[in-house]
Amino acid sequence: MAKIRKGDRVVVLSGKDRGKEGVVSAVFPAEGTLLVDGVNVVTKHRKPNQAGVMQGGRIQKDMPIPIARVAIVSPEDGKPTRVGYRIAPDGEKVRICRRTGADIP
């Protein structure tokens, strides 16, 4: 069970995009990185394809950032928080906000 998952709302803690918020679109646990929509956007130059299938030009692309550079946004107060766990009465492991103690959906 990962602390940050796809669909979580996160805020960037360091780097050129510090302070930006976004939704996690993909997580790569083996590399320790994740993709956040609208964060760490780079311009890639792409050559056109011979058959004309792929158009050339400059494209904007989201690049992965380290998981350690982001923090989950608390569902209650909207501030960055750490993630903890508790065991629900039915035995399920539930993620909780360390700041307020609220469950993270």
Side-chain angles (χ1 to χ4, degrees):
M1 182 181 243
K3 290 193 174 191
I4 299 179
R5 298 185 197 147
K6 180 178 176 178
D8 285 343
R9 185 143 195 83
V10 296
V11 62
V12 179
L13 300 176
S14 66
K16 66 176 185 175
D17 294 318
R18 184 174 78 198
K20 284 189 180 178
E21 286 189 21
V23 177
V24 176
S25 58
V27 179
F28 309 108
E31 292 88 28
T33 59
L34 48 80
L35 282 177
V36 181
D37 294 334
V39 174
N40 199 22
V41 178
V42 297
T43 302
K44 302 286 275 185
H45 296 266
R46 185 168 65 181
K47 279 191 163 186
N49 193 343
Q50 184 82 19
V53 176
M54 197 168 70
Q55 186 179 358
R58 295 168 28 169
I59 60 167
Q60 300 289 321
K61 184 176 181 184
D62 293 334
M63 295 299 284
I65 61 173
I67 292 175
R69 282 195 188 180
V70 300
I72 288 189
V73 174
S74 175
E76 289 194 358
D77 58 6
K79 294 183 180 176
T81 184
R82 292 177 295 140
V83 178
Y85 294 101
R86 71 172 174 82
I87 305 299
D90 61 352
E92 186 180 357
K93 198 173 180 182
V94 179
R95 296 186 304 163
I96 61 166
C97 168
R98 286 284 190 190
R99 174 185 285 283
T100 61
D103 288 357
I104 298 174

